[in-house]
């Protein structure tokens, strides 16, 4: 199974709906260890993304991801805008003008997105950031792809691993971002960026079925 531009756009719309549904949860997670704006910022950004798609939907998967990237960078404040914006921008650049998103292209996009997040945020696994969701997500996606999984199966495996990765941040001492100022006091709280990363992957997986 492959995914054309309209399928990618549908997945982005699904992600926007999930962000809206979990806005309050993300606000509360961020309020516990940050400034409480993650849910509002991300919801505002994805609302703008949907409006941009409504105005002019690109005709390639990479074009859709580039629109997501530029919109998030311009509309989302805090750390989320630059991090997610860079992830989608790197993924878009990797896809180029490819007409359909198959499993190899999906893996390329996931790798590029992770590299973008790490280049921008300088985080590694164990820092209690979104990277703790994204690294296991990529590893799980690669393994399922090796076993012959299709786009939906690969994304589902990525989402499952991202959920576990997000849960792992509860026991970690943050070493990056605003939460790092709390040190040990942040232990017991899930990183909001890791949670939102898992939510986005789950939405993408659901849309791919």
């Amino acid at each position: 199974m492959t995914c054309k531009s309209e399928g990618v756009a549908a997945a982005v719309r699904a992600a926007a709906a999930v962000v809206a549904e979990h806005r309050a949860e993300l606000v509360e997670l961020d309020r516990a260890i940050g400034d409480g704006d993650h849910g509002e910022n991300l919801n505002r950004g994805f609302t703008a993304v949907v409006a941009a798609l409504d105005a002019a939907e690109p005709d390639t998967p990479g074009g859709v991801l580039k629109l997501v990237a530029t919109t998030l960078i311009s509309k989302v404040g805090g750390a989320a805008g630059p991090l997610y914006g860079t992830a989608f921008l790197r993924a878009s650049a990797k896809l180029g003008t490819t007409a359909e998103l198959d499993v190899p292209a999906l893996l390329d996009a996931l790798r590029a997105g992770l590299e973008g997040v790490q280049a921008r945020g300088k985080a590694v696994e164990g820092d209690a950031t979104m990277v703790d969701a994204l690294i296991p997500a990529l590893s799980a996606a690669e393994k399922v792809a090796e076993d012959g999984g299709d786009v939906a199966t690969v994304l589902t495996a990525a989402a499952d691993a991202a959920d576990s990765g997000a849960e792992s941040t509860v026991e970690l001492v943050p070493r990056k971002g605003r939460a790092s100022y709390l040190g040990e006091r942040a232990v017991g709280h899930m990183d909001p960026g890791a949670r939102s990363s898992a939510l986005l992957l789950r939405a993408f997986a659901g849309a791919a079925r």
Side-chain angles (χ1 to χ4, degrees):
M1 185 187 80
T2 61
C3 192
K4 296 183 179 181
S5 61
E6 57 267 29
V8 177
V12 171
R13 293 176 188 275
V18 167
V19 168
E21 179 185 350
H22 291 269
R23 178 193 62 77
E25 176 195 349
L26 294 173
V27 166
E28 288 305 312
L29 287 174
D30 197 29
R31 187 172 289 150
I33 58 174
D35 50 14
D37 65 353
H38 187 63
E40 292 291 354
N41 284 344
L42 211 55
N43 187 48
R44 181 173 65 252
F46 272 93
T47 298
V49 166
V50 170
L53 285 172
D54 288 344
E57 189 173 298
D59 59 4
T60 63
V64 173
L65 297 187
K66 185 175 182 180
L67 182 148
V68 175
T70 54
T71 305
L72 292 181
I73 289 170
S74 65
K75 299 292 185 182
V76 181
L83 288 169
Y84 276 123
T86 300
F88 281 106
L89 196 59
R90 291 283 189 96
S92 166
K94 191 68 177 178
L95 292 179
T97 58
T98 300
E100 296 189 22
L101 188 71
D102 58 10
V103 169
L106 171 61
L107 293 179
D108 283 344
L110 290 173
R111 288 189 200 101
L114 171 60
E115 289 166 3
V117 168
Q118 291 193 282
R120 185 85 193 195
K122 312 300 183 188
V124 298
E125 198 166 12
D127 283 345
T129 71
M130 62 199 299
V131 168
D132 288 291
L134 295 176
I135 286 180
L138 176 59
S139 295
E142 290 172 336
K143 183 179 186 307
V144 171
E146 287 174 6
D147 293 338
D150 62 9
V151 168
T153 308
V154 168
L155 281 171
T156 298
D160 289 344
D163 281 338
S164 297
E167 288 288 346
S168 78
T169 65
V170 174
E171 304 303 324
L172 296 173
V173 178
R175 295 194 292 253
K176 292 289 181 182
R178 189 178 292 269
S180 65
Y181 301 136
L182 296 176
E184 297 279 353
R185 288 176 294 161
V187 174
H189 298 283
M190 186 184 297
D191 178 73
R195 175 60 174 153
S196 63
S197 295
L199 288 171
L200 292 181
L201 285 168
R202 183 66 65 194
F204 295 155
R209 292 196 190 98

